[in-house]
Amino acid sequence: MAVPGKAAAFRLPPLPTVGEIIKLFRLKAQKQLSQNFLLDLRLTDKIVRQAGELKNAHVCEVGPGPGGITRSILSADVEQLLLIEKDARFIPGLQMLSEAAPGKVRIVHGDILTYKMEKAFPRHLKKNWEDEPPDIHIIGNLPFSVSTPLIIKWLENVSKKDGPFIYGRTQMTLTFQKEVAERLTANPGGKQRSRLSIMSQHLCTVENCFVIPGQAFVPKPEVDVAVVHFTPLVQPKIQQPFELVEKVVRSVFQFRRKYCFRGIETLFPESGRLKRTEHLMMTANVDPTLRPFQLSMSHFRNLCNTYRKMCDEDPSLFAYNYREELRKKKRNLLKSTSQPKQTEE
Ligand code: SAM
C-alpha cells in the first residue's frame, strides 16, 4: 500500500498561479485532446502524497500540462523531475517552473506512448526485483484515451521487467476515469470485475486511492476521476508469459454474462473443442457454470497453467485465433453467396 508522503518540504519561489500561467501562455484546453486541468494545489498535493515519500526521489511526470501536479512534486523536494509533455504549447510554462527549481527539472517534448523509459533515469538507481522498490516514481494525470493503453503497455513491461521496470519495481500513481479505476481494483464477484482487474492484480498491488469529482477540473469532464497507485509484485500471481495470460483472460471475458466455459471454448479450434474445454476446466478445477466475473485469481492461475501445458503438447494451439476463424468463415460464406449461380442448360 502507498504510504502517504509528508507535506511540502521544498518552497518554490513566488510564481504566477497555474490559472495565471494558463492565461499568460493562452493555454486553452483542447477538448479533442481531452485536456482537463487541475488548478487546486491542495488537490494536486493530495495526488502526489499517494505516491509515498518523494524526498530525494527521481520522478517522471507524464502529461504535466500547465504544471499543477508538477508544482506539488517539486514541493515534495524530489532530487530530479522528468516531464514528458506532448503538446508544445505547455513547454514555456514548464520552463518557467524549471527555472524556479534550478537543476531539478528535465523537460521532454514527446509522446509517453513511444518514449524510451528504460533510459529515463540514472543507472545507479537500479534495484533487484526482489528488493524494495527503487526511489523512482511515475505520476500522471493523462487523458483517458492515453492512460488505459498506457497502463496495459506498462503492465506488459512489469511482466517482462523492461521499460520503466528495468530499474526494479517502479511505483506508479496515475489517474483514470472512475469506472476504469473500479475495474482495475475489482474483486471476484464485483460488478466491475473484468480483464483489466486480472491483468493488473496478477502483476501489481493496486490501490484505488480516492475519487476526484469532475467539477474539480477545468474544463469539467463528463465523468469523475480516480487516483490509482500501483506497486509491482515480487512474484506475479500467475507465472506465465504476459501474452498467454492475456489470451486466456481475454477469452474468458469474451462472453461476460454467460457461463465461463463459453469464453474458454474459444481458446480451441472447432475440431476437438468440447473435449479440450472439458479437459481444461476439469484439470484447472473450475466450475464451468461460474460467470467470468466470479472467477478468482487462483482459478485464472490454474486455467493459465493448464492451458500452457496443452500448448506445450500441441505447439500450434497458442497461434489459434477464434475471431480470425470466424472472419474466415464469414468471408467464405460471402464468397459462396456472391458467386453467380450456374444456370442449368
Ligand atoms: N497534468 C495536468 C493537470 O493535471 O492539470 C494536465 C492534465 S491533461 C488531462 C493531460 C495532459 O497530458 C495534457 O497536458 C496533454 O497535452 C498531455 N498528453 C496527452 N497525451 C500525451 C502523451 N501521449 N504523452 C505525453 N503527454 C500527453
Side-chain angles (χ1 to χ4, degrees):
M1 199 210 278
V3 184
K6 289 198 191 113
F10 171 83
R11 201 173 277 277
L12 284 163
L15 284 166
T17 63
V18 181
E20 284 163 351
I21 294 255
I22 290 172
K23 278 200 196 118
L24 189 64
F25 293 104
R26 301 204 176 125
L27 304 175
K28 194 170 182 307
Q30 298 203 345
K31 227 179 171 183
Q32 70 274 28
L33 295 180
S34 309
Q35 290 179 337
N36 310 98
F37 306 139
L38 281 169
L39 309 190
D40 179 348
L41 292 187
R42 280 167 309 178
L43 207 46
T44 57
D45 280 349
K46 188 171 172 190
I47 295 174
V48 169
R49 277 200 298 274
Q50 306 308 312
E53 174 62 64
L54 292 186
K55 190 172 164 58
N56 300 329
H58 287 244
V59 178
C60 170
E61 188 196 353
V62 288
I69 297 178
T70 319
R71 290 175 189 226
S72 296
I73 297 172
L74 286 171
S75 297
D77 204 9
V78 297
E79 175 77 22
Q80 279 285 319
L81 174 56
L82 167 64
L83 302 174
I84 301 174
E85 174 53 61
K86 191 174 172 185
D87 185 338
R89 296 176 308 139
F90 294 111
I91 305 297
L94 296 171
Q95 267 155 357
M96 187 185 268
L97 273 180
S98 166
E99 280 154 26
K104 283 191 188 278
V105 182
R106 188 155 53 102
I107 302 169
V108 171
H109 173 213
D111 186 334
I112 188 58
L113 290 167
T114 51
Y115 186 73
K116 297 259 175 281
M117 287 296 278
E118 41 280 88
K119 296 211 173 112
F121 306 103
R123 292 167 71 92
H124 74 265
L125 296 174
K126 275 191 184 180
K127 287 264 179 87
N128 291 323
W129 192 260
E130 301 71 29
D131 293 344
E132 284 297 296
D135 218 357
I136 296 176
H137 296 260
I138 299 173
I139 300 178
N141 171 32
L142 280 166
F144 306 134
S145 57
V146 179
S147 56
T148 307
L150 188 63
I151 194 61
I152 292 169
K153 175 177 144 91
W154 279 344
L155 288 171
E156 181 167 1
N157 289 148
V158 170
S159 162
K160 296 181 173 157
K161 301 181 184 162
D162 61 14
F165 308 98
I166 64 153
Y167 296 92
R169 295 184 296 121
T170 301
Q171 298 177 73
M172 302 173 275
T173 309
L174 303 167
T175 57
F176 295 90
Q177 183 178 333
K178 183 170 157 264
E179 288 70 23
V180 175
E182 284 167 0
R183 266 178 245 153
L184 283 161
T185 52
N187 290 322
K191 212 173 98 201
Q192 298 285 10
R193 182 80 162 175
S194 63
R195 182 161 73 108
L196 216 43
S197 327
I198 313 302
M199 296 313 291
S200 58
Q201 294 169 35
H202 104 83
L203 289 161
C204 295
T205 303
V206 193
E207 192 192 344
N208 193 342
C209 304
F210 67 96
V211 174
I212 311 175
Q215 60 264 27
F217 293 85
V218 179
K220 174 182 172 306
E222 300 292 308
V223 291
D224 290 337
V225 174
V227 178
V228 182
H229 184 268
F230 301 82
T231 310
L233 291 164
V234 172
Q235 285 278 12
K237 295 198 173 135
I238 304 173
Q239 291 185 32
Q240 294 295 349
F242 185 85
E243 290 78 5
L244 186 140
V245 181
E246 217 271 328
K247 186 176 182 190
V248 171
V249 175
R250 186 167 19 92
S251 303
V252 172
F253 279 102
Q254 192 152 187
F255 306 108
R256 206 187 139 69
R257 289 168 191 278
K258 306 237 164 94
Y259 291 145
C260 66
F261 82 86
R262 281 289 290 110
I264 291 173
E265 278 184 331
T266 66
L267 285 166
F268 303 111
E270 210 167 355
S271 76
R273 179 171 284 158
L274 198 64
K275 226 170 124 200
R276 283 169 141 171
T277 307
E278 265 174 26
H279 171 75
L280 173 55
M281 308 223 58
M282 276 190 40
T283 316
N285 199 15
V286 175
D287 174 352
T289 63
L290 288 173
R291 313 276 168 178
F293 59 89
Q294 294 175 311
L295 299 192
S296 66
M297 192 58 82
S298 58
H299 284 137
F300 279 101
R301 181 176 45 232
N302 292 351
L303 286 171
C304 290
N305 289 345
T306 310
Y307 178 65
R308 169 68 190 267
K309 274 195 199 130
M310 295 172 85
C311 290
D312 287 347
E313 282 160 18
D314 174 359
S316 68
L317 189 55
F318 188 68
Y320 171 70
N321 182 325
Y322 174 75
R323 299 243 157 234
E324 191 51 49
E325 188 177 61
L326 277 189
R327 271 194 292 272
K328 253 190 220 156
K329 267 191 185 166
K330 220 174 181 179
R331 267 201 304 270
N332 289 344
L333 191 73
L334 273 177
K335 245 193 232 161
S336 68
T337 51
S338 64
Q339 265 163 15
K341 285 204 182 96
Q342 286 194 338
T343 45
E344 277 175 38
E345 302 246 326

